[in-house]
Amino acid sequence: MELRRTKAASHGGSLIDALASVSEAELFEAIVELAKPRHMFRERAENRRAAQFVADALEELGYAVEFEGELRNVVATPREAEDGRLILVGAHYDSVPCTPGADDNASGIAAMLACARALTRLGPPLPVGFVAWNGEEDGLLGSVEFVARRRSLGGTPIAAVHVLEMVGYASSEPGSQRMPVPVPGAPDVGDFIGLLTNQRSNHLVELAAKQAEAMVPELPVVGLKVYLGLEGWLPVLHRSDHSPFWKAKIPAMLWTDTAEFRNPNYHRPTDTPDTLDYGFMRRVTQLVIATVARQVRTG
């Protein structure tokens, strides 16, 4: 394994209009709307309401939206994008029972929606789609179903997947960060966005790190690149919706604040909107936008 790390820079960087359009207010509003217990079985009505909220928001932005499969994954694709491989940005919309799940994972959905809106400002529709998966908290059921459907039914090839899993909690306190696996030189301050990739997707860490340095220099990035199939021996690296894509040999990168390795409210009733850092979340969202836009340009 290899650790790829950047440090926050003090100098400002010029952001394109799409990045500047992302606001803390829109992220907060989306999280407040979603942050209610919404487990797919235990809180079925709220789970369906969350899915409808996401679908309505994406449809209003002009994307073609459908509920897919028995688990009601929300799938949005550009209506007029050129033929070719599709880049996906996704996040799960369910929560564990009896918890509001503001960071896990209303934060990922809020960032995804802000990304979808910002990318519409870049001219002709880009080959970027958006997916909100259900059932992540019950064994990644939604993303497993999503990948299986594409294997059986075909459709537009997927170039890469950016999975947003808890992107709203940050701390500047020493000792606020632990790591899921021992890595030499790992930080102990939870002020960075973590990126996780495997052999097929390690190039995405470099792409994101370069975009961070150029476009969002105040956001530290720590990328964990896994080599030689080592993820097969470390189940802790398969705990979110990137895993089914890795197993299907599709490049996928996990974006995360590292969950319980940083956030003390993980899977607790205290995972509420007021515990999150919206400046941090805005910078993460800007980096997702910059990375995806750059990936579209470079192929």
Side-chain angles (χ1 to χ4, degrees), residues 145-170:
E145 180 183 77
F146 179 85
V147 171
R149 283 176 64 90
R150 266 136 194 85
R151 277 180 160 175
S152 63
L153 301 177
T156 305
I158 299 172
V161 186
H162 297 268
V163 176
L164 312 183
E165 172 66 77
M166 301 183 63
V167 295
Y169 190 90

Side-chain angles (χ1 to χ4, degrees), residues 181 230-240 242-243:
V181 293
L230 186 59
E231 69 271 17
W233 299 91
L234 296 170
V236 71
L237 301 181
H238 286 271
R239 290 176 49 194
S240 190
H242 63 290
S243 179

Side-chain angles (χ1 to χ4, degrees), residues 180-285:
V181 293
V183 181
D188 70 345
V189 176
D191 62 351
F192 61 87
I193 185 64
L195 307 177
L196 175 64
T197 53
N198 67 351
Q199 188 80 36
R200 293 179 180 273
S201 51
N202 284 339
H203 63 285
L204 297 175
V205 169
E206 293 303 320
L207 178 63
K210 289 178 181 177
Q211 289 305 107
E213 292 165 352
M215 305 301 290
V216 198
E218 64 274 24
L219 176 66
V221 174
V222 174
L224 183 61
K225 299 192 290 186
V226 183
Y227 292 95
L228 302 176
L230 186 59
E231 69 271 17
W233 299 91
L234 296 170
V236 71
L237 301 181
H238 286 271
R239 290 176 49 194
S240 190
D241 291 309
H242 63 290
S243 179
F245 294 95
W246 281 8
K247 292 175 181 178
K249 300 182 179 180
I250 297 171
M253 179 161 69
L254 179 69
W255 299 66
T256 181
D257 62 22
T258 74
E260 76 269 31
F261 300 100
R262 177 188 306 177
N263 189 341
N265 305 301
Y266 175 72
H267 283 187
R268 295 182 178 180
T270 51
D271 184 10
T272 54
D274 59 293
T275 64
L276 303 185
D277 184 328
Y278 292 91
F280 172 77
M281 198 184 315
R282 177 175 182 263
R283 293 187 288 274
V284 172
T285 304

Side-chain angles (χ1 to χ4, degrees), residues 14 32 65 72 95 110 119 151 171 185-186 239 267 276 284 292:
S14 61
V32 168
V65 181
R72 290 174 59 83
S95 74
L119 289 178
R151 277 180 160 175
S171 174
R239 290 176 49 194
H267 283 187
L276 303 185
V284 172
V292 169

